[in-house]
Each structure stands twice: as structure tokens, then as C-alpha cells.
Amino acid sequence: MAAIMITPASMMIFIFSPISGFLLAKLGARRVIFSGSLAIATGYGVLSLMSPSQYWQFALAALLVGAGYGTIIGPITVLAAGDFTGELLTASQSVIGVFRQIGTSFAVAIFVSALAANLTTAKTQIRTYATTTVTTLSIPKQAKRDTLRVVDHQLATEQTAQTVHEPITAAKARRLVAANYMQVLKARSLQSAPVRIKAQIHQQVAQKVHSQVKHTNQRIRTAASAIKAKTKIELTAAFMRPYQVAWPFTLLLVMTTWCFAGRERKSGKPS
């Protein structure tokens, strides 16, 4: 799924890489590098401001980044070795390849490390929020432990918390009724009471337990909805933050385009 989602970027690199050489001859290095860098910076701007739930926004960013990268990668390689011949040309190509590999490795390492750190921080904040929210609920201790256990499982799998429709199921409610019924009989020494009396007691216990279960389920559902909203906010922020930090660096990339010579005029002087 991830590979399919980033296909627009790969497609634009495939399209613009062959075109970049033609553009370099027609427009000059400065304009080509500037347009490609501007496209990358704009793409990162979209990434840092987008809503991750809207794929078209990510697709737009991928198109811009792919087009920008495809536009500048060819000309930069040509310009870096354009003034060399012989052994120096071979050496320059090797140096370019090494720096490209180093840059790619650093980029992946930095982004993955930043994302992992952000996710760890987000999980800690979500767990603290969930613990505080569940602890303040007026529900049985076992229900609190079960709710927090579900939260821990979802955090371990990095999933948004799911809304719980019936935290205490009908089967569990029946077990609670049976357990409470036996406790009442034992406490009142009614094990040998007539069937009619036991039936009345069972009915009273069942009504009380079902009322408690209903209120407990409602409180847990409310807490689960709040935890779900908090989880979505924190995990989204953790994913978006690396792109927001990277955006200013792409703007610096645009500024470096003035280091390249412009298109030569008819007089032969660079613009």
C-alpha cells in the first residue's frame, strides 16, 4: 500500500529526468535548478500542512517532490562534472556518487530516527492521558484494568484506539449476575431457601447488575472516544513533525540556486 501511495513521485521522476537535459540547454542551469528546488520546497510545504486522512493532498505533494527531484538530479550531475576531462571526470563522477549515497543514507536515518522518537513520545503522552482518564471513572477496578490493557495493545501495534461498543458483553454480564447471586445467597444463608425466594433474589440481583453494567459501559465508551481522539491527534503530529522540520531546509535549497550560472546571453556573458 505504501509503495502504491508514493507511485506519483516515482512517475514524475521518470517523466522529468529525460526532460531536464533539454531544459538545461534551453533555460540554463540557474532557472532549471531553481524551478526544481522550488517544486521540492512546495511539495514539502504541502506535506507539512496536509491532512494525512486526505490522500489527494499527499499525492499532490508527491507529484511536486518527484517533479522537482527529476528536474534537478540530471543537471546537477552534469554541472558537477562538466569542467573535468579524463581521470578528473572519472573521479568527479565517483565523488558525486559517494555524496549521493551518503546523503540518501543520512536522510533515511534522520527521518526514521525522528519518526521513531516522535512516536515514542506520542505513545507516552497517550498512555498518561488514558491512565488519567480511566482512573477518574467511577467503574470497577477490573473494568479499568481491562480498558487500559486494550489501550496498551493498540499502542503496541501503533493503531488508533477503536470505539468499544459494549466493553462489558452480555456473556460477561451473565457471569457477574451469577457471581453476585451466589454471594447474596451465601451472605444471607439462603442456600436452602424455597425456589420462589431464590428466583426473586436472582431477579433483584440481575436488575442491579444490568443497571451497573449499563452505566459502566456508557462511561467506558465516553472515555474510549476521548482516548481515540487524543491518539489520533498525537500520532498524526508525530508523523507530520519531521516534514515540518525539513521544510525550512528545502527553502535553503532554493536559495543555493544562485550559486549556479545563468543562461549565457548572445554576448557570451553569463546572466
Side-chain angles (χ1 to χ4, degrees), residues 218-240:
Q218 180 60 43
R219 293 188 180 99
I220 293 177
R221 282 195 295 268
T222 302
S225 297
I227 295 171
K228 178 180 180 181
K230 179 69 172 179
T231 301
K232 184 175 182 179
I233 291 172
E234 292 295 338
L235 293 183
T236 299
F239 175 78
M240 297 291 294

Side-chain angles (χ1 to χ4, degrees), residues 9 39-40 42-44 46-47 50 56-66:
I40 293 176
T42 305
Y44 269 83
V46 175
L47 284 172
M50 71 175 183
W56 70 268
Q57 297 181 17
F58 175 80
L60 175 61
L63 290 171
L64 289 169
V65 172

Side-chain angles (χ1 to χ4, degrees), residues 105-116:
S105 300
F106 268 114
V108 173
I110 292 171
F111 265 75
V112 172
S113 299
L115 180 59

